[in-house]
Structure formats: C-alpha cells, structure tokens
Amino acid sequence: MPMFLWLDPQGQVLDLGPTLARVLGCDAVGTRFDDHFVLRRLRLRAPEVPVPDGTVAPPKMSFDRGALRLHLDLRGHPGVGLRGASVALGLGGEDGVLLNLTFGIHMSEAVREFGLTEADFAASDLAIELLYLGEANAAVLGELGEMTARLELARRSAVVQSLTDPLTGLANRRAFDAALGEEIDAQAHGGAPFAVAHVDLDYFEEVNDTLGHPAGDHVLKTVARRLVQALRKGDLVARTGGDEFLLLLRGLSDRERLLRLGERLIEDIEAPCDFRGTPCRVSASIGLETSQGYDPMTTDALLAAADRALYAAKRSGRGRAVPAVDSDDAE
C-alpha cells in the first residue's frame, strides 16, 4: 500500500506510504490531515447538516463508522484529486483510521506532476493498467488523427492531379470546363462578361518529327510558361490535349483588345526556343470569342464559336488570331 495514510483519532498523521510521502513532498508524520488534504466528498450514513446560514456543512472525518469511501484534493496541487477508502482501527476507531488512496482519473496528471513510475504503485493497483490504457488510447487517437490528415492530403493531391495536365502543370480540360461553367453561371446572375481563346500550335508536328518527342515536350512546356506569363493573374490557361490550349479571359469583352492580346500571344509563342542547342520554331493560330450575344449561353456554343474562329485562322495562313465574328463573316 504505497499510498496508505494512518491517522490518529484527532487527524494527526502517524505514518504514510512512500509514494504518498513523495507526492506530499515532505515528512508528513506529525502533521495534520487538513494540512495536506481537502475533503471534497465523503459517503456518510447520516444526512448532511445545514449550518445556520443555510449552506451545507463540509464533510468531516469520522473514525467510528467502519469502511468509508472518500474523495480528496491536494492542497498544494488543486488539479490533482485522490480517491480511496478508510477503515477505522480498533474499537470505535480508538487506534485511528487507515486510508488507502489512489489517483483515479487524475492518474496521468499525477504521473507527470510528481514523476511517478510503476515502482510507486502496488502490484494489485489497477491505476497502472488505467494509465497504460489512457496512453494507448492517446496513441491510437494520435495515429488516427495522423492517418486522417494523410488521407485528406492524399485526397486533395488526387483532386489536384485530376485537374492538372501532368506535362505542363496547367489546368486540364476537366478543370477548364468547370471554370467555364462557373463563369457562365456568374454572368447569368449579373457577373461581368468574359472571353475564351482556342490556341493551336503551328508547325509543332515538324518539331516532333525532326527532333523527337523530348523536343516537343520542351516546346509545350515553354509555350505553357509564356502563356501564363502573358496573361493576368485571374485568367486561366489549360492544355486540353496535344498542342492545343484553351484560355479563359475573365472580364475581357472588348473585341479590339481581345484581338491585340491574341496577336501579342502569337509573338510570344514565336520567340526563339532552343532544345539542346537546336532551334524549335513554332507559331500559333488562335480563335477568339466573347461571351456577349448568347441567349442562352452554353459551354458548347461558346467553344464551338472559338473553334470556328481557330479553323478560320488556319485557313487564312496560320500564325493569326481571328475573332469569331470575323470567321462567321468569312463563311
């Protein structure tokens, strides 16, 4: 019983266990019970007695009632509680009372507070098993938390991968369609008009045929970087397959500005691009369309107009940007 406490009939400490002495931090023999403990609850047979001011008097130790269960607080450590049982010694408690204490639910706090080890507890004390269970539970909860975090990170990574072109790091067709649908819905509810551009590289097949696919991949990544650098932060660049790109140009609806932007993009794409010392010369044809004039506006209708403009640019000699309205007039 490393947590025993032996009191005389007046509540003076006659002896105590080594663990309890370590917890109290002093030689408590000869001191009073009340110097170290606050009796919080005591299971008494007699009813609680109100004091004159109407409150209930705190419980008092009594040594003539046989075995009693009690709950204590440590005066020097209010956050650590004890529980235990008391047994009266001798006839009518003439030899005092013996208390056998344990920390109960405050076991973890006590172990940390007082640096206790397994040697500080009786072999029959279930406190150690409870401590192990608590630590195991904390470990399991911690592992579950880490696993949940890893799964969430994997989920987010999978979502990003499903919306990203693996070669260029741009958005893919799925991401572009979702963004375009959101932009169409926003305009239907009073949002600003916008534009789309369909970009197709000219002479790209010649690069692949003469220099190989590594050179083609280099060109695609270079073009992707130049498109992103040429556009605003709020615009979206997507690679939608092969040597084709789609651009979502938010807030841009002026056809003259759109045409100038298309011409500037072609100049950027035509800038020198070398692969291992060999020049890779490509250009681009671009079909342009704004979101104005559609009733109702749909993704298919908007992209079909940009496609027609792109083919018109191809037919007119490549390396050109053609607005959809001009392609319609040409037809």
Side-chain angles (χ1 to χ4, degrees):
M1 294 172 58
M3 293 279 288
F4 84 88
L5 183 66
W6 180 18
L7 304 174
D8 70 10
Q10 287 72 44
Q12 185 172 339
V13 178
L14 298 176
D15 201 359
L16 70 166
T19 301
L20 188 57
R22 183 174 178 182
V23 169
L24 297 181
C26 64
D27 184 4
V29 175
T31 62
R32 292 191 54 77
F33 172 85
D34 294 337
D35 295 337
H36 309 286
F37 304 98
V38 176
L39 185 59
R40 184 157 46 91
R41 188 169 49 162
L42 179 66
R43 292 188 182 178
L44 300 172
R45 294 175 185 173
E48 295 175 323
V49 180
V51 296
D53 64 0
T55 61
V56 176
K60 295 182 179 180
M61 291 295 297
S62 177
F63 306 139
D64 60 353
R65 298 179 180 274
L68 298 174
R69 294 190 178 277
L70 64 157
H71 294 258
L72 310 172
D73 285 332
L74 287 172
R75 284 195 180 276
H77 304 274
V80 179
L82 298 169
R83 59 182 301 175
S86 67
V87 178
L89 302 178
L91 184 61
E94 61 184 11
D95 294 328
V97 62
L98 183 67
L99 283 68
N100 189 24
L101 303 176
T102 183
F103 290 106
I105 62 173
H106 295 97
M107 170 61 66
S108 297
E109 293 88 337
V111 168
R112 290 193 299 268
E113 183 78 17
F114 306 113
L116 303 179
T117 67
E118 186 175 357
D120 291 304
F121 299 92
S124 60
D125 196 338
L126 295 178
I128 291 297
E129 281 70 17
L130 292 174
L131 180 61
Y132 288 158
L133 286 174
E135 292 178 347
N137 182 60
V140 169
L141 290 178
E143 181 62 28
L144 287 175
E146 292 179 2
M147 183 181 298
T148 300
R150 290 195 298 268
L151 289 174
E152 177 62 17
L153 182 62
R155 185 193 68 80
R156 293 182 181 181
S157 177
V159 170
V160 171
Q161 291 179 9
S162 70
L163 300 174
T164 303
D165 173 53
L167 176 63
T168 62
L170 298 177
N172 60 15
R173 181 58 185 264
R174 177 183 177 189
F176 183 87
D177 287 344
L180 180 59
E182 291 176 359
E183 206 67 25
I184 290 175
D185 184 66
Q187 181 175 318
H189 291 83
F194 59 93
V196 294
H198 192 171
V199 181
D200 184 82
L201 299 185
D202 299 323
Y203 315 114
F204 178 75
E205 288 301 325
E206 285 85 338
V207 173
N208 266 342
D209 293 342
T210 59
L211 299 177
H213 290 289
D217 290 347
H218 175 70
V219 169
L220 291 172
K221 289 188 281 189
T222 300
V223 170
R225 184 175 63 254
R226 290 175 179 177
L227 289 174
V228 172
Q229 292 173 345
L231 300 183
R232 300 162 301 175
K233 186 176 181 180
D235 296 330
L236 178 66
V237 183
R239 179 183 174 225
T240 55
D243 58 349
E244 295 187 18
F245 300 83
L246 283 173
L247 314 181
L248 177 59
L249 308 169
R250 294 182 171 94
L252 179 57
S253 59
D254 182 81
R255 294 185 182 275
E256 290 300 322
R257 287 183 56 201
L258 186 60
L259 180 58
R260 290 196 298 270
L261 173 62
E263 292 171 347
R264 189 171 73 250
L265 293 177
I266 293 173
E267 292 179 4
D268 292 342
I269 293 172
E270 290 179 345
C273 172
D274 291 346
F275 177 71
R276 298 175 182 173
T278 302
C280 305
R281 302 201 177 277
V282 294
S283 183
S285 298
I286 303 179
L288 306 165
E289 176 61 320
T290 68
S291 62
Q292 295 175 311
Y294 287 87
D295 187 23
M297 177 171 46
T298 65
T299 298
D300 291 341
L302 197 60
L303 293 180
D307 285 345
R308 290 195 300 272
L310 171 64
Y311 293 129
K314 292 281 189 182
R315 289 194 302 270
S316 64
R318 301 184 182 183
R320 299 185 181 187
V322 175
V325 63
D326 293 345
S327 68
D328 294 339
D329 292 342
E331 293 178 0

